[in-house]
Amino acid sequence: MATHETIERNGKLRTTIKLEPGERVALCRCMHSKNFPFCDGTHNKVEGSTGPVIVEALREPVSESGSE
């Protein structure tokens, strides 16, 4: 399950999210989610065209081309 931590750094809030391999989350970009930093669909009710960003942790590391 995704975990997150928000800390203040240099006067700005910084959120770090840790995902398990294969896990996928939707992150809020409209800044109105009651479950921030995760999307709760509120962007559908506010003006504008902003939707979530989808982040997925890969199950296997990506191999670099030419390294095989």
Side-chain angles (χ1 to χ4, degrees):
M1 182 174 160
T3 61
H4 73 285
E5 174 184 51
T6 301
I7 60 170
E8 185 177 331
R9 185 172 177 183
N10 299 324
K12 304 285 184 180
L13 293 178
R14 171 181 266 183
T15 300
T16 302
I17 298 173
K18 294 183 181 181
L19 302 176
E20 297 292 329
E23 190 170 15
R24 181 177 173 179
V25 294
L27 301 178
C28 175
R29 292 192 307 159
C30 75
M31 305 304 287
H32 295 286
S33 173
K34 289 181 173 64
N35 194 24
F36 194 85
F38 302 104
C39 176
D40 67 0
T42 300
H43 62 273
N44 292 316
K45 300 175 186 170
V46 297
E47 191 173 329
S49 60
T50 302
V53 61
I54 306 299
V55 179
E56 184 173 355
L58 300 176
R59 290 189 184 280
E60 300 292 328
V62 176
S63 63
E64 294 182 25
S65 60
S67 64
E68 295 181 28

